[in-house]
Amino acid sequence: NFEHASHVTMSVMKLLSRIVAPDVTNAPTDTDEALHDHTYGITSDPMTQFAVALSALIHDVDHPGVPNSQLIKEETSLAAVYRNKSIAEQNSVDLAWDLLMDDAYGDLRNTIYVTKTEFLRFRQLVVNIVLATDIMDKDLGALRKGRW
């Protein structure tokens, strides 16, 4: 629902503000590269910052209110469409992306990306961020554990 999306988005923006404008008193600040590394590169990447904010807002669009495992158990049409994998999350991305691609949002799209490469990168960022919210997916969990 909108209240949940608002809360998640506000929380993410607070987290981003701490990453983008960190307290660098204990961080190496010799170079721009050191700050870039300290902030995971997000300080120098407005597209990633926007992708994170947008993903927070859309991550539960049209959420059915039950876990993916229940959608699979009930053999819902959504489960079939998404092949029993991150069902609610993929549906949220698809619905939100379709809306973003509407003609009414052309100016917004032109602000987010200009080239095909930027478009593909932005899409991949949004998909990866929203799919990362599926905390019950074993494969995604293994990938997270492998990275950290």
Side-chain angles (χ1 to χ4, degrees), residues 18-40:
R18 290 176 180 226
I19 293 170
V20 173
D23 176 5
V24 293
T25 53
N26 295 322
T29 57
D30 301 345
T31 65
D32 288 340
E33 185 178 327
L35 183 58
H36 175 87
D37 291 347
H38 180 73
T39 61
Y40 309 99

Side-chain angles (χ1 to χ4, degrees), residues 54-147:
L54 180 67
S55 296
L57 193 58
I58 69 165
H59 80 281
D60 273 344
V61 168
D62 196 42
H63 196 287
V66 297
N68 288 328
S69 59
Q70 187 64 33
L71 298 173
I72 294 166
K73 187 177 185 180
E74 293 176 3
E75 299 179 357
T76 64
S77 59
L78 272 182
V81 166
Y82 298 113
R83 300 180 187 179
N84 297 336
K85 197 84 171 146
S86 300
I87 302 156
E89 294 77 13
Q90 288 193 73
N91 185 54
S92 293
V93 170
D94 282 350
L95 292 174
W97 197 261
D98 286 348
L99 183 59
L100 180 62
M101 293 300 111
D102 187 274
D103 289 343
Y105 298 103
D107 289 341
L108 176 60
R109 289 192 310 275
N110 291 332
T111 302
I112 299 168
Y113 55 83
V114 177
T115 67
K116 177 79 170 178
T117 301
E118 290 174 339
F119 165 81
L120 293 172
R121 181 169 172 264
F122 180 70
R123 169 118 175 119
Q124 194 62 59
L125 283 166
V126 171
V127 169
N128 287 346
I129 294 164
V130 174
L131 290 185
T133 67
D134 183 1
I135 60 173
M136 298 306 290
D137 184 276
K138 291 180 174 86
D139 295 331
L140 290 173
L143 281 173
R144 282 189 290 270
K145 285 181 184 176
R147 292 184 77 189

